[in-house]
Each structure stands twice: as C-alpha cells, then as structure tokens.
Amino acid sequence: MCLGIPMKIIEINGNMGYVEINNVKREIGLMLIEDPQIGNWVIVHAGFAISKLEEEEAEESLKLIKMAASIED
C-alpha cells in the first residue's frame, strides 16, 4: 500500500517547490500537477505532488492518518 501525505506548498522554483506540514519542510517535484500555486494543498508521494486537494480535505486526511497511527494491534 502507498501513502500520500497532504502538505501545503510554501515556495515554488520552476518545476520544484517546498511543502510544509507540522513544521516539516520537503523539496518536491511539481511537474505532475497543473498550475501549482503557493498556498495549494497537495498530496505528496515519493517526492512529487501527485494531486491537489482542498484545505478541508487535507485536514480530514491528516486527522485520519493520525488516528491510524495511534491504533494498536
């Protein structure tokens, strides 16, 4: 199974950009999404933004990821 993490674009430099979530910043490729803009929320997988999403969707996804991480077997 693959997991994509919602992150917010904070800087763009050509086809590359920086995203951030919870004070963690990563450089990613932006060439797989159309018209990336600072402030967009994107799903990041394997170092690339693979899709855009609305802020509400990002918050819900992050909430579910945190819940899943806290589940014990």
Side-chain angles (χ1 to χ4, degrees):
M1 173 175 28
C2 299
L3 181 64
I5 305 296
M7 301 185 84
K8 189 175 190 176
I9 299 174
I10 58 169
E11 184 179 326
I12 297 174
N13 186 11
N15 284 329
M16 300 299 289
Y18 282 90
V19 290
E20 178 180 33
I21 190 69
N22 294 336
N23 295 318
V24 174
K25 296 177 185 173
R26 295 282 184 256
E27 184 178 29
I28 63 164
L30 298 171
M31 60 282 294
L32 300 178
I33 61 172
E34 188 175 324
D35 191 31
Q37 299 292 318
I38 292 174
N40 286 157
W41 282 87
V42 293
I43 297 291
V44 177
H45 175 69
F48 292 90
I50 59 172
S51 66
K52 292 184 190 179
L53 68 163
E54 296 296 324
E55 184 173 3
E56 297 79 24
E57 293 174 290
E59 290 172 358
E60 183 64 23
S61 293
L62 290 168
K63 181 177 158 185
L64 292 171
I65 291 168
K66 287 178 186 175
M67 285 176 45
S70 67
I71 295 174
E72 296 181 21
D73 289 330

